[in-house]
Amino acid sequence: MATLALASWATNLTYADLTTPVVDAAVKSIYNWAGCAIGGYAQDAPQIALNTSQAAGFGGPPTSSILGLNASVSEKGYGFADAQLAAFVNGIASHVDDYDDTHLATVIHPAGVVASALFAITEAESQAREGKDQGTAVSGPEFLTAFVAGVEAELKLGLSVYPEHYDIGWHITSTTGSIGAAVAVGKLLGLDTEHLQHAIGIASTQVIGMQAFFGSMTKSFHVGRATQSGLLAVLLAQNGYTSSLTALEDQFGWLHVVSTRENASAEFAELGKTWEIESNTFKPFPCGIVMHPTIDGAIQLHNQTLSEGKSISTDSIKSIDLRVNPEVLVLTGQTDPQTGLEGKFSIYHAAAVGLLYGAATPAQFTDQVVQNETVVSMRKLVNVTTDDGVAEDQADVTITFSDGSTLEKFVEHAIGSLANPLTVDELRTKFMDQVSRQIGSERAQKAYNAFTSIGNMTDVGKLRTLF
């Protein structure tokens, strides 16, 4: 009984069950999410979502923060919304740059949905406690325990249906994420096992996200809506709204409707034994992760070319030849992207900017850069060959210059992969770069200090007041 097994494990999980590596991975996942949510708000998608919702009159009293709004806490009301809307907007913002975390075994971006829902309800609880003496202050250990419960739920669920679920076109981050968010919020609010089963069911029936929308704003909408769905599922179940107690494993339940194969019972049996969050990785580049090995190689060749006194231009380069894993063209084969969001799913754009700029930050995935004449010309020099023998974290990049000389770089394990993870210093640099552009460097440092210290807090709902 998969639904019961998941709900029972989550309700019984305690902070003492979490190992030091699990807590460390959770904290990194949370501050990486926060950086993406703050920096990602600069994109149009989260702003349209917030402005449209507020103009339509949606939402209740403001209890929870929109992390990326450049507002100080002294500006009363500004930068806040009700928990459902805040969760929605932060979910979109955290994913829209495609800069978030990745569990490589499932290609799920786990923190965005879970953390966005959890942080919004935590702030709402804190405010309710302050205003009416009804809510409960959420401590750092409580927050981390709920977060890990939600992340483990979505990742084990993802493993039970991957790759079949993904291969038929579902966006696995959002389809599993709503259930992960429900488990996390349900854990935080103290639902018993049966009520959490109902919450899982309500979340699972709100399945959302298809790959047809990759490269558009709607990809991040999947994450925002899944965040809301999981949060709403718990609040409904908490107040007696019923669902199916076998929502996952039923003949017509989630597992059998969205996939042609599942082994949830086996995966859930590993809950608390094998911690999937320890296999979470963090992106060095804001784009489809299958392109990262190519970007890594292109940047290395950019540096090598300049160090040898050669120039990098469409006149000096004859061709750029890539040998990559077959999934690269399946997911990121756009040859002529027109927008920054489309560029995030173009291996041709990725190779071109890596070689031209020696970098691949959010600045290289704007509409302006995607449409830049030199970039467009460089993209046309890129040739892609797929090879089953090339792993997903590998790529072979070869530059042929106009004089007939060549440079080649084989990337064994791309930066940001499990075998070559970002260091703490690199994660901090990533956070500061994103957040400083949105709220300034002084507040970015305060935000970094706050989120990295989340495990020591007595009231996580007050974290936003620290920056």
Side-chain angles (χ1 to χ4, degrees), residues 31 34-35 427-436 444 447-448 451:
Y31 73 74
L427 280 169
R428 180 187 179 279
T429 297
K430 175 184 174 180
F431 182 98
M432 292 298 294
D433 176 64
Q434 294 179 91
V435 178
S436 295
Y448 179 80
F451 279 104

Side-chain angles (χ1 to χ4, degrees), residues 321-467:
D321 296 297
L322 313 179
R323 187 165 58 88
V324 298
N325 183 275
E327 282 296 303
V328 172
L329 284 184
V330 172
L331 297 173
T332 61
Q334 294 197 43
T335 57
D336 188 28
Q338 297 299 308
T339 67
L341 292 179
E342 289 178 356
K344 293 174 181 291
F345 291 87
S346 170
I347 187 62
Y348 302 91
H349 182 74
V353 296
L355 193 56
L356 276 170
Y357 295 88
T361 71
Q364 278 74 49
F365 292 92
T366 62
D367 294 353
Q368 291 76 14
V369 172
V370 167
Q371 296 165 14
N372 178 275
E373 289 184 6
T374 302
V375 174
V376 172
S377 296
M378 189 67 79
R379 284 202 301 257
K380 293 177 179 178
L381 301 180
V382 178
N383 305 301
V384 184
T385 301
T386 61
D387 184 343
D388 289 328
V390 177
E392 290 186 3
D393 64 344
Q394 297 178 333
D396 189 84
V397 184
T398 302
I399 306 172
T400 301
F401 294 92
S402 298
D403 63 6
S405 63
T406 63
L407 285 178
E408 181 179 5
K409 175 60 66 175
F410 179 73
V411 176
E412 182 70 30
H413 298 292
I415 184 172
S417 64
L418 274 174
N420 187 17
L422 294 185
T423 65
V424 170
D425 285 343
E426 288 168 334
L427 280 169
R428 180 187 179 279
T429 297
K430 175 184 174 180
F431 182 98
M432 292 298 294
D433 176 64
Q434 294 179 91
V435 178
S436 295
R437 286 185 285 107
Q438 188 63 18
I439 63 173
S441 58
E442 183 178 345
R443 289 179 61 201
Q445 183 61 57
K446 292 179 179 179
Y448 179 80
N449 294 341
F451 279 104
T452 54
S453 302
I454 194 168
N456 301 320
M457 294 184 176
T458 56
D459 187 354
V460 176
K462 301 299 184 189
L463 186 152
R464 176 62 182 82
T465 66
L466 299 178
F467 65 95

Side-chain angles (χ1 to χ4, degrees), residues 179-408:
I179 296 168
V183 169
V185 175
K187 174 66 179 174
L188 191 77
L189 296 184
L191 267 61
D192 61 26
T193 299
E194 185 170 321
H195 281 85
L196 187 54
Q197 284 177 268
H198 284 298
I200 290 169
I202 299 167
S204 71
T205 202
Q206 299 178 80
V207 61
I208 181 175
M210 291 164 280
Q211 293 171 31
F213 305 98
F214 286 12
S216 75
M217 293 182 187
T218 299
K219 181 174 188 282
S220 59
F221 172 83
H222 297 162
V223 172
R225 180 59 84 190
T227 298
Q228 281 187 316
S229 297
L231 176 55
L232 177 61
V234 172
L235 298 178
L236 289 172
Q238 186 182 44
N239 286 286
Y241 208 96
T242 62
S243 177
S244 167
L245 296 177
T246 57
L248 299 179
E249 71 273 17
D250 190 90
Q251 179 185 357
F252 300 112
W254 191 93
L255 288 164
H256 300 290
V257 171
V258 303
S259 183
T260 57
R261 180 201 65 88
E262 63 89 10
N263 64 339
S265 294
E267 292 296 342
F268 288 170
E270 289 297 308
L271 284 164
K273 300 174 184 177
T274 303
W275 298 95
E276 297 304 326
I277 196 168
E278 291 187 53
S279 297
N280 204 19
T281 67
F282 306 100
K283 287 185 175 184
F285 312 121
C287 56
I289 199 164
V290 294
M291 304 194 304
H292 288 200
T294 292
I295 296 173
D296 191 350
I299 290 174
Q300 291 186 56
L301 288 176
H302 166 94
N303 295 334
Q304 183 179 348
T305 299
L306 296 184
S307 71
E308 294 182 4
K310 296 180 179 180
S311 65
I312 298 174
S313 69
T314 53
D315 292 328
S316 64
I317 294 175
K318 181 180 179 181
S319 65
I320 306 163
D321 296 297
L322 313 179
R323 187 165 58 88
V324 298
N325 183 275
E327 282 296 303
V328 172
L329 284 184
V330 172
L331 297 173
T332 61
Q334 294 197 43
T335 57
D336 188 28
Q338 297 299 308
T339 67
L341 292 179
E342 289 178 356
K344 293 174 181 291
F345 291 87
S346 170
I347 187 62
Y348 302 91
H349 182 74
V353 296
L355 193 56
L356 276 170
Y357 295 88
T361 71
Q364 278 74 49
F365 292 92
T366 62
D367 294 353
Q368 291 76 14
V369 172
V370 167
Q371 296 165 14
N372 178 275
E373 289 184 6
T374 302
V375 174
V376 172
S377 296
M378 189 67 79
R379 284 202 301 257
K380 293 177 179 178
L381 301 180
V382 178
N383 305 301
V384 184
T385 301
T386 61
D387 184 343
D388 289 328
V390 177
E392 290 186 3
D393 64 344
Q394 297 178 333
D396 189 84
V397 184
T398 302
I399 306 172
T400 301
F401 294 92
S402 298
D403 63 6
S405 63
T406 63
L407 285 178
E408 181 179 5

